[in-house]
Amino acid sequence: MAVLDAIRSRPGTTHPRLVQQLGLGRTVVSQRVARLEAAGLVAQDGLAPSSGGRSPRRLRLRRNAGLVAGVDIGATGMTVGLADLSGSVLAASREAVDVADGPDVVLGRVERLVEDLLARLPAPPPLWGIGVGVPGPVEFATSRPVAPPIMPGWDGYPVRERLAGRFAAPVWVDNDVNVLALGEVRANPAAAEAGDLLYVKIGTGIGAGLVSGGRVHRGVNGCAGDIGHVAVAEAGAVSCRCGNVGCLEAVAGGAALAREARRLAERGGSPALAEALAARGGLTAADVTAAAERGDPAARALLARAGRLVGGTLATLVSFYNPGLVVLGGGVVHAGDQVLAAVRESVYRRSLPLATRMLRIELSALGEAAGLTGAVHLVLDSVFEAERLARWLPWGSPAGHPDVACGPAPGPA
């Protein structure tokens, strides 16, 4: 409903502003506002300054009418949080987790964390929905992971059905990079202004989220943007966890950095990495970035190579898609400047001049918070979508109605 969307996006708006913004008649706006007030979704918020005559009433979403849960599951950790209907996070917990332990273990922890967070809030309102991001391909219509390379035991797992059964609320599940992209565009003003952007995560894996006109583009089945498994010439015959060879992720992702770091350490090519290997018996991408920050030339070269490889693939996407903004996130990127600089150099050198004329390439403004933010807005965008809103509005809220999440996806977002 356009009136509700306008009130959500501009808290404190008034009847006259709604009429002007939406091009609707005063009577239509008044009727729709009255319906939203009767449903408990909109409330008055004082008076706005008068421009002549009676001062108009300010309107706002009743953000405390319900809660939404956001779940950001990564390869080695997860964040679970509760937010109000404006998207403001009220409480959150983060803990280490191994996604390879399987859905029963990981989702069991998710369920307990959601329950713990609910118990912390005095008289919590109903849970309106749950949004989940996972580090693998997801068929968005069914919310089921499909052959995720780093998620053994998750293929086809009914994540929606399990959580909906536990909490009696609608559930949406998406690939983690789509969730990150959504978080960025909903909470980063620069991303919202750009409208057309690419969010690229370089961490344990590599992926991209495509945003067009402010809405996430998922493709027919939900796997748009899976650039980590694009073949790159530099990868040669290096095996990837997806079962193929020559994938970008196999030579530029976090696991590839850890593999190359160990080789350097064992061959005496990096004293800093050799020291870390001796101390812990293994190396991770975080060790590479830590060594690079200490000035280790070999570690810096590893990160720069990864950035060049990712940048080469991105250059093709930039020429093809012509975004106004590329946002880089993930642990590998945020640990130092080498990757960002190398990505920028490759993209600007190899993309079409017209495609880069207005292009900005920046680090994520939200950092690690993007995943939880995106998971929360995955729910809010879905429950307030016009078709779904019309379905649950007669009940007063989507709480207790898990089927609100089922059915055809409401367009590209």
Side-chain angles (χ1 to χ4, degrees), residues 82-100:
L82 296 175
D84 63 25
L85 299 185
S86 73
S88 297
V89 176
L90 306 176
S93 292
R94 179 168 179 81
E95 68 175 44
V97 67
D98 187 348
V99 74

Side-chain angles (χ1 to χ4, degrees), residues 268-323:
S270 169
L273 292 173
E275 180 183 338
L277 178 61
R280 287 185 291 281
L283 291 173
T284 66
D287 294 313
V288 178
T289 55
E293 288 176 348
R294 291 164 54 189
D296 183 77
R300 294 172 70 91
L302 278 182
L303 292 176
R305 178 175 181 267
R308 285 195 300 272
L309 291 171
V310 173
T313 298
L314 277 183
T316 301
L317 291 180
V318 165
S319 294
F320 177 78
Y321 180 52
N322 192 201

Side-chain angles (χ1 to χ4, degrees), residues 339-361:
V339 176
L340 174 62
V343 168
R344 281 176 169 164
E345 191 277 332
S346 290
V347 171
Y348 287 121
R349 176 170 54 85
R350 299 181 62 173
S351 299
L352 293 172
L354 183 58
T356 57
R357 179 179 294 176
M358 305 293 290
L359 179 68
R360 291 174 292 129
I361 303 175

Side-chain angles (χ1 to χ4, degrees), residues 7 25 41 93 115 117 132 144 181 192 195 208 219 223 247 256 277-278 298-300 303 308 318 325 334 379 387:
I7 295 172
L41 294 178
S93 292
E115 290 169 345
L117 291 173
V132 183
R144 296 193 178 200
C223 65
C247 296
L277 178 61
R300 294 172 70 91
L303 292 176
R308 285 195 300 272
V318 165
L325 176 66
H334 282 283
V379 178
E387 180 183 327

Side-chain angles (χ1 to χ4, degrees), residues 124-190:
L127 188 63
W128 280 32
I130 303 172
V132 183
V134 298
V138 174
E139 184 180 46
F140 188 67
T142 64
S143 283
R144 296 193 178 200
V146 178
I150 66 169
M151 300 171 64
W154 290 78
D155 185 24
Y157 191 87
V159 180
R160 167 180 287 163
E161 290 81 355
R162 172 168 177 158
L163 295 179
R166 183 68 170 262
F167 295 103
V171 177
W172 288 269
V173 184
D174 203 353
N175 171 265
D176 61 344
V177 189
N178 285 341
V179 170
L180 290 165
L182 181 60
E184 201 75 29
V185 81
R186 292 291 178 265
N188 176 0

